[in-house]
Amino acid sequence: IWNPKTTGYVAPIAAGTGDGSSWANASGDIPGMITASVAGDQIFVMKGNYRITAGVYFIRMKEGVKIYGSFQGTETTLSERVIGTTATDSSILSGVPVSGVVRPVVNNSGTLSTASVLDGFFLTSTTGNVVINAGGAGPTFTNLIIANGTGGMSNNSSSPTLNNVV
């Protein structure tokens, strides 16, 4: 995985087989990139479908890491990105029930500040809450579309910042 304290790059699994150091070497592993990141890193995610599956279960944000979606895969800066407004032009995080248990797509527990960012994604799940905040989490959610779940966002002792979330 790429050298932290920089920008990491993620492409859909079929296209993302590299170490995440550039678009040409994009990783297909969002959870792995988050795990390898440190506060101050940003992760650029190319548009496409990223299904959460058994063994991974959900995306867990990390303190101080900014995860940005809806890239075409040619941009070199965040300001070049065009935010998707539908599933077809977005980075999609989709969850499915695993062993009969409904899993969230994004699950944040522990302490997260507003420096922890999820921005530019279409979040969907077949059932249940798509985003769960618990235990003092206060991340920033921006430019998100939450759809197709019986729930949306669950907050338990949390105070996330929401900007342009539908």
Side-chain angles (χ1 to χ4, degrees), residues 86-132:
T86 66
T88 57
D89 61 1
S90 298
S91 298
I92 305 165
L93 297 178
S94 59
V96 294
V98 178
S99 301
V101 177
V102 176
R103 304 285 183 177
V105 178
V106 177
N107 184 6
N108 300 309
S109 59
T111 303
L112 293 178
S113 71
T114 57
S116 305
V117 175
L118 186 69
D119 181 333
F121 287 88
F122 186 96
L123 306 174
T124 182
S125 179
T126 53
T127 57
N129 291 314
V130 176
V131 178
I132 294 181

Side-chain angles (χ1 to χ4, degrees), residues 17 36-37 54 83 119 122 138 143 148 156 161 164:
T17 58
S37 65
I83 301 294
D119 181 333
F122 186 96
N143 300 313
N148 297 335
N156 178 12
T161 300
N164 195 30

